[in-house]
Amino acid sequence: MTPTTTDVTHRLVPSPAGRIHLVEQGTGPLVLLVHGFPESWYSWRHQLPALAAAGYRAVAIDVRGYGRSSRPDDAAAYRLRELVADNVAVVHALGEESAVVVGHDWGSAIAANSALIRPDVFRAVGLLSVPYAPRGGPRPSEVFASMGGDEEFYVSYFQEPGRVEAEIEPDVRGWLAGFYAAFSADTMPAPEEPEPHFVARGGTLRERFPKGVLPGWLSEDDLDVYAAEFERTGMTGALNRYRNMDRDWEDLADFDGAPLTQPSLFVGGALDASTTWLADAIKAYPTTLPGLMSSHVLDGCGHWIQQERGDEVSRLLINWLDSLGS
């Protein structure tokens, strides 16, 4: 019988954060799955049983600040180096010396930096939605502040503690539904409508979300899972990842321009701004990802790629993992 997510094992393991909650399924070579914003281990619900059935030990974590993992109070505790240390701790807590790491959205950056900083632990890296771009250029805050003209880029909007939390808190479930819909292929605003990555001065992000519609990949029950987690934990731990981009830029100075040399995979959505805005990063892959073995941009797909195209992404992951060998 094909495994389902009812066959998973939930576990808490020690990490520099305190604890990391993970969900595990299958046996074989370890594949660590790292989600993005605003998600959880549940984002990998399609991949966990598929990878397990293919002969892999699939482990999806709640990133520091999410779900049942620890949520440090200090915003600086969410810098990339700290999240890399969590990933290393998970691998060792599971009794392994090495793993393949796969990430989506912010998880893609966490996965890439895990492989960059700890190549002794992470032997291969899969990147979903957000391409790899080496550290470099001006401070991220300066770049984001220059975007949007009279409007404010969402990353800048997220910087001030409490600001976007105040927008979300009155209706967490509704905000999440709108955020997911805004960047899904079947529900995203038309090109002539206001861009949901930007906020009008004095406005809110929510104003530009689609109203009263869920994307095809997200059931009411799925939304309930996400909403229940964030209603319990609040959003600050998740948002603190955005509040460390300048710290990351400083922390990673020794890796300025560094290529990611392990065997790698990239899968993006053709309708995802992460793919289109960062097209130059993808073009640079021969230099920045010299170990790239497989690269795919899925037509008609938005940002939530492993949920929008669960079976297809699982197949691409398995084909790539099989090519790596154990």
Side-chain angles (χ1 to χ4, degrees):
M1 183 178 71
T2 301
T4 68
T5 50
T6 59
D7 303 313
V8 301
T9 299
H10 290 256
R11 189 184 302 187
L12 296 173
V13 299
S15 82
R19 68 176 183 273
I20 292 293
H21 169 243
L22 61 85
V23 177
E24 179 179 2
Q25 190 166 4
T27 59
L30 176 60
V31 182
L32 187 65
L33 304 170
V34 187
H35 67 80
F37 175 88
E39 303 176 82
S40 77
W41 75 267
Y42 190 73
S43 306
W44 302 101
R45 62 193 176 280
H46 304 297
Q47 286 70 46
L48 284 164
L51 294 183
Y56 293 95
R57 185 183 187 186
V59 173
I61 66 170
D62 278 338
V63 172
R64 178 187 299 215
Y66 289 81
R68 292 169 59 193
S69 293
S70 291
R71 299 187 302 280
D73 291 333
D74 183 6
Y78 296 85
R79 62 216 305 161
L80 279 171
R81 280 192 177 272
E82 297 282 353
L83 303 180
V84 169
D86 286 343
N87 283 353
V88 172
V90 167
V91 172
H92 292 161
L94 293 172
E96 302 286 353
E97 294 299 321
S98 67
V100 175
V101 61
V102 178
H104 168 257
D105 183 78
W106 264 123
S108 178
I110 297 167
N113 282 277
S114 295
L116 187 69
I117 295 169
R118 294 300 304 269
D120 57 316
V121 176
F122 299 102
R123 63 187 182 92
V125 57
L127 310 175
L128 304 186
S129 296
V130 176
Y132 175 64
R135 184 264 191 210
R139 285 181 175 273
S141 60
E142 296 173 3
V143 175
F144 298 131
S146 69
M147 298 173 65
D150 291 336
E151 297 184 333
E152 188 175 14
F153 190 49
Y154 80 102
V155 176
S156 297
Y157 180 65
F158 284 178
Q159 293 304 304
E160 182 184 341
R163 185 182 180 198
V164 69
E165 287 95 326
E167 173 186 331
I168 299 169
E169 183 59 32
D171 179 16
V172 173
R173 190 179 191 277
W175 193 92
L176 290 172
F179 194 82
Y180 297 143
F183 307 112
S184 298
D186 57 341
T187 49
M188 63 177 53
E192 64 273 14
E193 295 182 284
E195 167 60 63
H197 288 92
F198 293 88
V199 179
R201 299 293 175 180
T204 64
L205 207 59
R206 182 194 293 266
E207 293 169 359
R208 298 190 172 182
F209 293 165
K211 305 294 192 297
V213 60
L214 292 184
W217 61 267
L218 184 70
S219 70
E220 295 284 354
D221 288 343
D222 293 331
L223 180 58
D224 284 343
V225 171
Y226 287 121
E229 288 290 80
F230 288 109
E231 286 167 352
R232 179 175 59 81
T233 65
M235 299 295 295
T236 297
L239 288 160
N240 277 341
R241 174 80 288 276
Y242 289 92
R243 295 164 183 164
N244 279 277
M245 300 178 77
D246 281 353
R247 291 189 184 99
D248 296 333
W249 183 84
E250 295 168 356
D251 288 347
L252 298 172
D254 290 346
F255 293 95
D256 192 80
L260 197 54
T261 59
Q262 289 97 321
S264 56
L265 163 77
F266 174 72
V267 187
L271 300 180
D272 182 6
S274 299
T275 301
T276 56
W277 289 355
L278 296 174
D280 287 346
I282 297 173
K283 290 178 184 177
Y285 277 172
T287 299
T288 61
L289 278 183
L292 184 66
M293 299 173 65
S294 185
S295 182
H296 311 268
V297 176
L298 307 185
D299 289 339
C301 186
H303 181 67
W304 317 104
I305 190 165
Q306 79 271 34
Q307 299 178 85
E308 291 188 51
R309 298 285 183 86
D311 290 344
E312 187 173 4
V313 169
S314 294
R315 176 178 56 79
L316 292 172
L317 283 172
I318 291 165
N319 288 344
W320 172 64
L321 290 166
D322 288 349
S323 73
L324 295 174
S326 58

